[in-house]
Amino acid sequence: MSASSDHANSVFASVVQAPEDPILGVTVAYNKDPSPDKLNLGVGAYRTEEGKPLVLKVVRKAEQLLVNDPSRVKEYLPITGLADFNKLSAKLIFGADSLAIQENRVTTVQCLSGTGSLRVGAEFLARHYHQRTIYIPQPTWGNHPKVFTLAGLSVKTYRYYSPNTRGLDFQGLLEDLGSAPAGAIVLLHACAHNPTGVDPTSDQWEQIRQLMRSKGLLPFFDSAYQGFASGSLDADAASVRMFVADGGECLAAQSYAKNMGLYGERVGALSIICKTAEVASRVESQLKLVIRPMYSNPPIHGASIVATVLKDRDLYNEWTVELKAMADRIISMRKQLFDALQARGTPGDWSHILKQIGMFTFTGLNANQVAFMTKEYHIYMTSDGRISMAGLSSRTVPNLTEAIHAAVSSVA
């Protein structure tokens, strides 16, 4: 029997080949390239100066403690996850002195990293919130619209990034949120906006808060980079805490992929802040009904690592030092790239590289220029010109500078 008739006989013969994920597809193409000079700036994961993945020393220590504890078992966790982890995660993002935590108005459930936290939150809102429209920034992380749409929410966008200034379109943001229907959900990146690296100032956050509260818009924070953006856990949670302090309700999705380097452990949390402890308890009961048929309960290992680090003062302090070192290396890469482009006399203003924050820089390069850099210089990035600063090193800055210079000089 020929291969083609095999296909015809398959009950799945009508299934079409899906396109590669635009972000993960960059790595697929990179892996196929035999060039020794190839550079992957598409991946959203930290790399050392040598270009290697990093497991934090504090994570290794915590794992050793867990392995050496004979009382540890592999039993199922509750539907909501590891209790210690949930309590400590809420404290980390909302602050140790948070009134909402003291008043038991917060419900926190362990989820499968940031994506899982967003999905569980979105499914809950689609079932139990009166407004099924969510506004997401334009642009935003590529997975956001898919997660919210599949959960049953209607996705709209608000202006966020200005290509002209390569900064925040604050006026556009205020206009779009100002004309959103009362009660609409608004996705906010807590810090280090992905993909642009452009964040509102503290004053701008306060104006956003006032506008959203006056219109009864519901904030849903995505916090993927706490401590990883500025090097300070508190500074990177300031926007979230501003909204929590006014006593209003909000949601927050947390991920430990970046700030603890636990990418493949899939460790995250969803917190919902409610008006009263009684409402929070009812919300938690419904979150369980979202989670149980989805994946029953979350994995134990990654959450145990996080809880071990967060509850031990010495390990926690050690973590903050390692976290700051990662943030500082990324900040130094920004400076090195900016200085190299200046020294090379590359056309254009590149100051946005220094102004943007976090793992990514939105270079302003267009899809044709990106394609040119991949073909001629074996440099891989997403077609929107987003580069991962964490994938850069002192060794690779000169080649990237050369590639950017050639691209902006010769490709429209």
Side-chain angles (χ1 to χ4, degrees):
M1 193 184 278
S2 72
S4 60
S5 61
D6 276 353
H7 287 321
N9 292 337
S10 171
V11 295
F12 302 115
S14 61
V15 174
V16 297
Q17 182 69 37
E20 286 278 10
D21 180 276
I23 298 173
L24 303 180
V26 172
T27 300
V28 173
Y30 167 83
N31 288 338
K32 287 179 185 164
D33 188 339
S35 169
D37 301 322
K38 65 182 180 178
L39 177 61
N40 187 0
L41 299 177
V43 68
Y46 183 81
R47 294 290 179 262
T48 63
E49 179 66 25
E50 295 71 45
K52 298 279 188 282
L54 177 69
V55 178
L56 299 187
K57 292 192 189 85
V58 76
V59 165
R60 295 261 192 233
K61 274 190 191 174
E63 285 190 307
Q64 210 50 61
L65 288 169
L66 294 169
V67 167
N68 295 340
D69 179 357
S71 70
R72 275 185 59 73
V73 291
K74 300 289 187 186
E75 292 291 295
Y76 289 128
L77 285 176
I79 297 171
T80 53
L82 192 66
D84 265 1
F85 167 84
N86 291 338
K87 199 180 298 178
L88 292 160
S89 292
K91 199 169 130 183
L92 186 72
I93 191 166
F94 302 128
D97 55 354
S98 167
L99 203 57
I101 293 175
Q102 288 166 24
E103 294 171 350
N104 293 319
R105 293 190 287 110
V106 186
T107 175
T108 303
V109 293
Q110 181 192 332
C111 296
L112 306 182
S113 205
T115 307
S117 306
L118 291 164
R119 182 66 186 260
V120 170
E123 297 248 353
F124 168 80
L125 291 169
R127 289 184 203 179
H128 299 285
Y129 186 58
H130 64 92
Q131 253 287 9
R132 292 201 172 80
T133 304
I134 185 163
Y135 282 75
I136 63 175
Q138 178 63 37
T140 192
W141 180 46
N143 222 9
H144 279 147
K146 298 169 193 165
V147 168
F148 295 126
T149 302
L150 284 171
L153 297 175
S154 162
V155 175
K156 298 206 166 146
T157 60
Y158 61 90
R159 278 171 285 174
Y160 188 86
Y161 175 78
S162 164
N164 297 336
T165 63
R166 292 179 188 168
L168 186 68
D169 180 0
F170 190 53
Q171 231 19 68
L173 180 153
L174 292 179
E175 282 170 23
D176 288 350
L177 293 187
S179 57
I185 309 154
V186 179
L187 179 83
L188 300 164
H189 295 228
C191 68
H193 179 273
N194 175 7
T196 69
V198 172
D199 286 352
T201 64
S202 185
D203 287 348
Q204 287 171 332
W205 270 120
E206 177 53 25
Q207 286 183 65
I208 294 167
R209 186 195 68 77
Q210 286 177 16
L211 171 66
M212 285 183 62
R213 292 311 196 196
S214 72
K215 286 188 57 83
L217 302 174
L218 181 66
F220 193 160
F221 282 98
D222 185 356
S223 176
Y225 301 97
Q226 189 183 350
F228 196 89
S230 68
S232 160
L233 287 156
D234 290 327
D236 290 348
S239 61
V240 180
R241 292 175 188 179
M242 199 181 275
F243 278 77
V244 175
D246 68 14
E249 293 173 302
C250 68
L251 294 85
Q254 279 169 279
S255 164
Y256 289 94
K258 314 293 192 291
N259 61 13
M260 228 178 259
L262 295 173
Y263 305 94
E265 297 291 357
R266 314 307 296 138
V267 197
L270 170 73
S271 290
I272 303 184
I273 293 203
C274 305
K275 279 284 190 193
T276 67
E278 196 232 337
V279 172
S281 169
R282 281 189 272 143
V283 165
E284 182 168 306
S285 74
Q286 290 295 338
L287 286 171
K288 288 181 189 174
L289 297 190
V290 172
I291 293 166
R292 177 67 173 142
M294 198 189 279
Y295 55 85
S296 274
N297 47 59
I300 196 167
H301 185 66
S304 301
I305 294 170
V306 173
T308 303
V309 171
L310 295 185
K311 69 184 171 199
D312 181 290
R313 181 172 298 233
D314 292 340
L315 291 178
Y316 179 86
N317 289 339
E318 201 175 313
W319 174 48
T320 60
V321 172
E322 287 194 83
L323 184 50
K324 182 151 182 10
M326 287 194 287
D328 286 351
R329 193 183 93 71
I330 290 172
I331 291 164
S332 85
M333 283 303 110
R334 290 182 179 280
K335 174 117 180 62
Q336 283 185 42
L337 179 58
F338 173 76
D339 289 350
L341 289 165
Q342 290 287 91
R344 185 70 178 81
T346 303
D349 174 8
W350 297 95
S351 60
H352 58 283
I353 293 173
L354 298 176
K355 290 177 194 151
Q356 293 171 9
I357 190 169
M359 185 174 273
F360 301 110
T361 288
F362 220 44
T363 56
L365 296 164
N366 64 39
N368 291 338
Q369 291 165 335
V370 169
F372 168 84
M373 288 167 62
T374 301
K375 184 170 179 285
E376 301 296 330
Y377 289 86
H378 306 277
I379 292 170
Y380 291 80
M381 63 182 91
T382 48
S383 59
D384 58 8
R386 182 194 85 164
I387 62 174
S388 170
M389 298 309 292
L392 262 186
S393 68
S394 306
R395 188 177 51 83
T396 54
V397 162
N399 193 33
L400 177 62
T401 303
E402 222 28 70
I404 291 174
H405 185 86
V408 298
S409 304
S410 63
V411 182

